[in-house]
Amino acid sequence: MIQKFEFKHTQIDGLIEITPFNADDIRGCFTKDYSKEVFEQNGIKYDLKEVFYTTSHKGVIRALHFQREKQQPKLVRCIYGHVYDVVVDLRKNSPTFKEYLGFDLIGEEHNEILVPAGCAHGYLVLEHSIVSYKCSEKFYGEYDDGILWNDKDINVKWPLEKVGGKEKVILAEKDKNLQSFNKFIETYGGF
């Protein structure tokens, strides 16, 4: 079976759900999750600069990250496993400012999202997973920042019951010490 690229725009401007090209046969499958030509034919200008992969255990939360400067639009796909992925619009002039959308990214479904600049991004790992980030800007550690995953003002409805509850969440020290949304607004005013 062959699945061609499909692009679904969401209510957050520039945030696009993508079904990539995928061909299944007796051997398994062949997936093409990015094509400059196909993206441009669909009105999406996206230049690839760097590719990262994370491997995470069930219960890990990596969130809610962004770069303060030289923001990183990214094409995100769970290539193995299952994550609940969240994107928060931090663009102060956007009609969806402070709103978030959540997506189930599942390795076997090959689905992905294109996260625009000016948005925070993170995910909860629902089963051991490998996630691919194809970024259109380099990673700059000095600009790395974020908002707490459980910030009360953004109020993401994480499906914590799928990992055994809040007490089973695994956080890096970096993610335990991120700022609140209010502190982000006080410091930056939005993007």
Side-chain angles (χ1 to χ4, degrees):
M1 182 181 107
I2 294 180
Q3 167 65 55
K4 295 184 179 177
F5 272 101
E6 292 179 5
F7 300 88
K8 179 182 172 197
H9 294 265
T10 68
Q11 69 244 33
I12 295 178
D13 187 41
L15 176 58
I16 303 168
E17 286 184 83
I18 301 170
T19 302
F21 174 90
N22 191 74
D24 288 314
D25 65 23
I26 194 166
R27 300 167 294 174
C29 72
F30 173 83
T31 303
K32 178 174 23 175
D33 61 9
Y34 174 71
S35 165
K36 183 176 176 79
E37 179 182 6
V38 172
F39 275 46
E40 287 179 355
Q41 288 169 354
N42 285 274
I44 303 166
K45 182 173 174 13
Y46 192 77
D47 294 319
L48 192 58
K49 299 269 200 261
E50 291 186 330
V51 178
F52 300 95
Y53 297 91
T54 59
T55 302
S56 304
H57 306 292
K58 180 178 179 176
V60 165
I61 290 184
R62 296 179 183 261
L64 294 159
H65 303 149
F66 56 83
Q67 283 189 176
R68 293 183 305 273
E69 304 286 331
K70 300 185 180 191
Q71 293 168 12
Q72 266 189 314
K74 55 188 75 121
L75 185 62
V76 181
R77 181 166 80 93
C78 181
I79 58 176
Y80 175 82
H82 182 181
V83 301
Y84 180 72
D85 199 286
V86 171
V87 178
V88 182
D89 192 347
L90 299 178
R91 299 168 293 185
K92 60 187 169 194
N93 295 323
S94 170
T96 54
F97 176 66
K98 196 177 149 187
E99 291 182 23
Y100 79 89
L101 288 177
F103 305 88
D104 280 299
L105 298 183
I106 301 169
E108 291 178 356
E109 292 185 12
H110 314 289
N111 58 328
E112 60 190 348
I113 56 172
L114 182 60
V115 180
C119 291
H121 171 258
Y123 53 86
L124 168 63
V125 181
L126 300 179
E127 59 187 59
H128 185 78
S129 297
I130 300 171
V131 174
S132 160
Y133 303 74
K134 293 175 175 66
C135 303
S136 71
E137 179 56 83
K138 283 178 43 179
F139 173 76
Y140 293 91
E142 64 269 30
Y143 301 133
D144 189 30
D145 210 338
I147 295 171
L148 287 165
W149 69 277
N150 58 351
D151 179 84
K152 63 181 174 20
D153 291 310
I154 295 174
N155 198 27
V156 173
K157 304 290 187 233
W158 299 98
L160 298 176
E161 69 283 356
K162 292 183 178 181
V163 298
K166 186 176 180 178
E167 60 279 354
K168 297 288 187 179
V169 167
I170 303 166
L171 290 170
E173 284 305 310
K174 162 189 162 175
D175 287 348
K176 291 177 184 175
N177 297 307
L178 293 173
Q179 66 200 313
S180 67
F181 177 77
N182 283 337
K183 181 67 175 168
F184 165 76
I185 291 301
E186 185 181 302
T187 305
Y188 305 107
F191 294 125

